[in-house]
PDB file of all heavy atoms in Angstrom:
ATOM      1  N   VAL A 102      11.985  72.918 172.861  1.00  0.00           N
ATOM      2  CA  VAL A 102      11.689  71.620 172.497  1.00  0.00           C
ATOM      3  C   VAL A 102      12.817  71.115 171.463  1.00  0.00           C
ATOM      4  O   VAL A 102      12.997  71.727 170.426  1.00  0.00           O
ATOM      5  CB  VAL A 102      10.306  71.433 171.799  1.00  0.00           C
ATOM      6  CG1 VAL A 102      10.079  69.977 171.360  1.00  0.00           C
ATOM      7  CG2 VAL A 102       9.232  71.780 172.803  1.00  0.00           C
ATOM      8  N   LYS A 103      13.489  69.970 171.812  1.00  0.00           N
ATOM      9  CA  LYS A 103      14.459  69.550 170.926  1.00  0.00           C
ATOM     10  C   LYS A 103      13.799  68.728 169.825  1.00  0.00           C
ATOM     11  O   LYS A 103      13.140  67.797 170.159  1.00  0.00           O
ATOM     12  CB  LYS A 103      15.486  68.676 171.696  1.00  0.00           C
ATOM     13  CG  LYS A 103      16.606  68.149 170.756  1.00  0.00           C
ATOM     14  CD  LYS A 103      17.628  67.330 171.677  1.00  0.00           C
ATOM     15  CE  LYS A 103      18.658  66.798 170.778  1.00  0.00           C
ATOM     16  NZ  LYS A 103      18.306  65.885 169.724  1.00  0.00           N
ATOM     17  N   THR A 104      14.051  69.075 168.634  1.00  0.00           N
ATOM     18  CA  THR A 104      13.440  68.333 167.479  1.00  0.00           C
ATOM     19  C   THR A 104      14.214  67.112 167.309  1.00  0.00           C
ATOM     20  O   THR A 104      15.422  67.138 167.120  1.00  0.00           O
ATOM     21  CB  THR A 104      13.515  69.229 166.195  1.00  0.00           C
ATOM     22  OG1 THR A 104      12.957  70.488 166.558  1.00  0.00           O
ATOM     23  CG2 THR A 104      12.594  68.602 165.116  1.00  0.00           C
ATOM     24  N   GLY A 105      13.420  65.946 167.392  1.00  0.00           N
ATOM     25  CA  GLY A 105      14.209  64.686 167.131  1.00  0.00           C
ATOM     26  C   GLY A 105      14.510  64.548 165.662  1.00  0.00           C
ATOM     27  O   GLY A 105      13.793  65.055 164.785  1.00  0.00           O
ATOM     28  N   MET A 106      15.631  63.873 165.444  1.00  0.00           N
ATOM     29  CA  MET A 106      15.883  63.543 163.995  1.00  0.00           C
ATOM     30  C   MET A 106      16.176  62.074 163.876  1.00  0.00           C
ATOM     31  O   MET A 106      16.563  61.371 164.703  1.00  0.00           O
ATOM     32  CB  MET A 106      17.323  64.271 163.646  1.00  0.00           C
ATOM     33  CG  MET A 106      17.238  65.777 163.495  1.00  0.00           C
ATOM     34  SD  MET A 106      18.701  66.508 162.746  1.00  0.00           S
ATOM     35  CE  MET A 106      19.868  66.501 164.189  1.00  0.00           C
ATOM     36  N   SER A 366      18.669  57.086 165.304  1.00  0.00           N
ATOM     37  CA  SER A 366      17.425  57.863 165.366  1.00  0.00           C
ATOM     38  C   SER A 366      16.996  58.294 166.776  1.00  0.00           C
ATOM     39  O   SER A 366      16.974  57.384 167.664  1.00  0.00           O
ATOM     40  CB  SER A 366      16.319  57.162 164.662  1.00  0.00           C
ATOM     41  OG  SER A 366      16.514  57.037 163.289  1.00  0.00           O
ATOM     42  N   ASP A 367      16.586  59.485 166.946  1.00  0.00           N
ATOM     43  CA  ASP A 367      16.015  59.862 168.329  1.00  0.00           C
ATOM     44  C   ASP A 367      14.642  59.244 168.486  1.00  0.00           C
ATOM     45  O   ASP A 367      13.973  58.873 167.608  1.00  0.00           O
ATOM     46  CB  ASP A 367      15.815  61.463 168.278  1.00  0.00           C
ATOM     47  CG  ASP A 367      17.113  62.198 168.203  1.00  0.00           C
ATOM     48  OD1 ASP A 367      18.145  61.725 168.811  1.00  0.00           O
ATOM     49  OD2 ASP A 367      17.184  63.266 167.759  1.00  0.00           O
ATOM     50  N   GLY A 368      14.402  59.116 169.783  1.00  0.00           N
ATOM     51  CA  GLY A 368      13.092  58.573 170.151  1.00  0.00           C
ATOM     52  C   GLY A 368      11.875  59.259 169.604  1.00  0.00           C
ATOM     53  O   GLY A 368      10.868  58.767 169.336  1.00  0.00           O
ATOM     54  N   ASN A 369      12.131  60.624 169.594  1.00  0.00           N
ATOM     55  CA  ASN A 369      11.001  61.512 169.053  1.00  0.00           C
ATOM     56  C   ASN A 369      11.176  61.967 167.683  1.00  0.00           C
ATOM     57  O   ASN A 369      10.634  62.970 167.255  1.00  0.00           O
ATOM     58  CB  ASN A 369      10.825  62.673 170.004  1.00  0.00           C
ATOM     59  CG  ASN A 369      12.093  63.552 170.030  1.00  0.00           C
ATOM     60  OD1 ASN A 369      13.205  63.164 169.726  1.00  0.00           O
ATOM     61  ND2 ASN A 369      12.001  64.816 170.392  1.00  0.00           N
ATOM     62  N   ALA A 370      11.921  61.178 166.886  1.00  0.00           N
ATOM     63  CA  ALA A 370      12.109  61.583 165.569  1.00  0.00           C
ATOM     64  C   ALA A 370      10.767  61.297 164.691  1.00  0.00           C
ATOM     65  O   ALA A 370       9.999  60.502 165.168  1.00  0.00           O
ATOM     66  CB  ALA A 370      13.178  60.651 164.778  1.00  0.00           C
ATOM     67  N   SER A 371      10.601  62.004 163.655  1.00  0.00           N
ATOM     68  CA  SER A 371       9.375  61.825 162.883  1.00  0.00           C
ATOM     69  C   SER A 371       9.695  60.950 161.766  1.00  0.00           C
ATOM     70  O   SER A 371      10.611  61.061 160.981  1.00  0.00           O
ATOM     71  CB  SER A 371       8.939  63.138 162.296  1.00  0.00           C
ATOM     72  OG  SER A 371       8.567  64.062 163.391  1.00  0.00           O
TER      73      SER A 371
END
Side-chain angles (χ1 to χ4, degrees):
Chain A
V102 175
K103 179 179 185 294
T104 309
M106 287 194 283
S366 291
D367 290 328
N369 60 339
S371 297

